[in-house]
Amino acid sequence: MSQATQPEASTAESAVYQRYASAAQAVEPELCCPVDYRAEYLAAIPDEVIQRDYGCGDPSRFVREGDDVLDLGSGGGKICFIASQIVGKTGSVTGVDCNHEMLQLARRSADVVAVNIGYHNTSFRYGLIQDLALDLDSLAHEIASQPVSDAAGYLRLRHLEDRLRAERPMIADESIDCVLSNCVLNLVRQHDRKKLFSEIFRVLRRGGRAAISDIVSDESVPERLQKDPDLWSGCITGAFREDEFLKAFEDAGFHGMELVKRESEPWRTVEGIEFRSVTVVAYKGKQGPCLERNQALVYRGPFKKVEDDDGHVFRRGDRVAVCDKTYGLLQQDPYGEMFATVEPREEIPLEQAVSFDCRRSAKRDPRETKGTDYDATSDLPAGGCNDGACC
């Protein structure tokens, strides 16, 4: 589990690689938080993988059977091998890491796990998690035939990288159901972080989700601490500030971000700044046209009002007019049973639906769903309420 680090501090970046390369050979307890993984999945995984796992959570709990899964900063492969058993024969798991030693450990363990579980559905790629289109194995092969020795060669290399991304992307657009990561995003350089979240969003299918465990801080980390190679490579001072971590998902286009786990006690405290493990789940799917089909949602409570990631405000008990997209979205995870649905009496075919202005949060008049000429009167059930037919 290793990626690029602090912008100008190449010593810190080198420290990350060297530390995780060493950790692939010998266990380094300071690189991990205590995590309870499900024992039934660990039996199939080689001990050397389990002992050299450096995570802070278990995002695999949000994987589903049949998923195509991507693990960012997959290290020795532990989360991948757990996920491979959850997705089953119909799913697939791909790990991405840029540390050769960790990749070697994962790749040689994959066949062992396949024998133990009865099928092979994992693969491991050499790449940067903030550039998921560029396969570094493919790049290395191309460079071997055309070595870079001058400025002209450097320009050719840049064109080569662009061609590989376009023609042979390591991870294709909208090819993944669930993106996982376990204590790795904090190791990515500050100026690469916007691209990192953009890449996670790019590779996910519509309706897909990201489940990310990482270390966050309760305060902004001073630059002098970020430049400390040991603190950065130890997953400490590269930590996102807790609120900014959630905002990064929002800025990338995700919806339904949920802090599904937050440790009450800090893992480490440095100069009064607390660093703790969290797991965030975020969803892709709120993009697309807004169409009017006379639907409404009623927020059940318990809060007086809530606001979704598109700015719709739902007051408890109100029939709020929504577009067809929002109507479907808020009936899915992670919203559960938060809303009651109001369908129109006469369905408007999708191809006949007109544009809906989602910038407003307006009540839906009952006559919009029932129809202006609706004048039905229901009869009292035979026997009244005594036979239980009415309630």
Side-chain angles (χ1 to χ4, degrees):
M1 296 183 184
S2 53
Q3 301 294 333
T5 59
Q6 177 65 13
E8 68 277 15
S10 60
T11 53
E13 187 172 51
S14 175
V16 172
Y17 189 94
Q18 294 301 324
R19 190 166 186 174
Y20 280 87
S22 298
Q25 309 299 324
V27 179
E28 187 173 347
E30 291 186 4
L31 283 178
C32 58
C33 302
V35 179
D36 290 326
Y37 296 98
R38 288 166 289 185
E40 66 267 29
Y41 297 126
L42 299 182
I45 303 174
D47 287 342
E48 63 173 341
V49 172
I50 295 174
Q51 293 169 5
R52 289 162 179 78
D53 171 64
Y54 305 105
C56 61
D58 183 11
S60 71
R61 294 178 181 271
F62 304 94
V63 172
R64 302 169 186 166
E65 184 178 357
D67 275 349
D68 292 318
V69 173
L70 174 66
D71 182 22
L72 305 181
S74 50
K78 180 176 177 179
I79 291 293
C80 287
F81 297 137
I82 292 174
S84 71
Q85 298 173 69
I86 300 172
V87 302
K89 295 180 180 179
T90 60
S92 69
V93 181
T94 302
V96 173
D97 207 289
C98 71
N99 188 290
H100 275 299
E101 288 77 10
M102 284 293 187
L103 277 173
Q104 289 173 1
L105 173 59
R107 285 171 170 170
R108 70 171 177 260
S109 300
D111 289 339
V112 176
V113 173
V115 169
N116 290 340
I117 66 176
Y119 53 88
H120 200 309
N121 62 356
T122 59
S123 64
F124 294 92
R125 309 288 179 83
Y126 179 35
L128 297 167
I129 65 172
Q130 64 267 38
D131 190 359
L132 293 171
L134 183 61
D135 188 317
L136 295 183
D137 279 330
S138 297
L139 181 63
H141 177 77
E142 296 280 356
I143 292 175
S145 61
Q146 300 183 58
V148 176
S149 58
D150 54 22
Y154 169 71
L155 292 175
R156 287 197 306 272
L157 176 62
R158 294 185 63 183
H159 292 311
L160 170 61
E161 290 181 2
D162 288 342
R163 179 171 62 82
L164 288 174
R165 291 187 185 100
E167 297 178 2
R168 285 185 280 163
M170 180 173 66
I171 309 296
D173 293 359
E174 300 184 348
S175 60
I176 300 296
D177 297 303
C178 186
V179 172
L180 306 177
S181 187
N182 194 359
C183 207
V184 177
L185 270 57
N186 69 82
L187 297 173
V188 173
R189 298 182 299 183
Q190 296 284 8
H191 69 259
D192 285 333
R193 291 186 174 184
K194 183 176 181 179
K195 184 179 181 183
L196 166 65
F197 281 88
S198 176
E199 282 290 85
I200 296 173
F201 190 84
R202 175 184 67 82
V203 302
L204 277 171
R205 296 184 175 111
R206 184 177 180 83
R209 63 209 172 278
I212 309 294
S213 297
D214 221 300
I215 299 296
V216 297
S217 63
D218 64 342
E219 302 178 48
S220 296
V221 180
E223 188 174 352
R224 62 180 176 79
L225 291 180
Q226 293 184 41
K227 290 181 177 180
D228 185 305
D230 290 334
L231 288 175
W232 187 285
S233 63
C235 298
I236 302 298
T237 56
F240 290 79
R241 202 175 73 199
E242 188 167 358
D243 56 332
E244 292 178 345
F245 190 44
L246 289 165
K247 184 66 164 53
F249 289 96
E250 181 181 351
D251 291 345
F254 286 94
H255 72 89
M257 286 72 68
E258 191 175 5
L259 203 59
V260 296
K261 187 169 184 181
R262 180 186 183 274
E263 296 295 340
S264 57
E265 293 299 319
W267 174 48
R268 292 278 303 276
T269 301
V270 179
E271 296 186 9
I273 303 173
E274 294 182 350
F275 298 87
R276 58 173 40 82
S277 169
V278 300
T279 299
V280 172
V281 178
Y283 297 81
K284 177 179 177 177
K286 72 185 184 74
Q287 293 67 32
C290 298
L291 300 175
E292 172 66 281
R293 301 185 74 194
N294 288 349
Q295 299 150 315
L297 292 171
V298 180
Y299 172 56
R300 299 177 186 273
F303 297 106
K304 184 175 183 180
K305 64 179 180 179
V306 293
E307 181 180 349
D308 73 3
D309 288 293
D310 274 334
H312 303 117
V313 176
F314 298 89
R315 295 182 182 277
R316 184 175 49 211
D318 282 356
R319 294 181 177 220
V320 177
V322 293
C323 72
D324 181 66
K325 179 187 67 179
T326 301
Y327 183 78
L329 197 68
L330 296 187
Q331 295 180 58
Q332 302 171 13
D333 287 340
Y335 308 103
E337 299 297 322
M338 291 176 63
F339 297 92
T341 61
V342 182
E343 284 273 14
R345 191 170 64 87
E346 294 185 6
E347 181 180 344
I348 298 175
L350 199 58
E351 61 273 12
Q352 296 178 18
V354 299
S355 180
F356 178 93
D357 185 1
C358 256
R359 294 171 296 179
R360 67 188 180 105
S361 291
K363 289 186 180 181
R364 176 75 75 188
D365 189 302
R367 286 291 172 178
E368 288 185 89
T369 52
K370 293 188 296 186
T372 56
D373 59 347
Y374 183 68
D375 62 354
T377 300
S378 59
D379 295 325
L380 185 67
C385 279
N386 294 329
D387 62 0
C390 63
C391 302

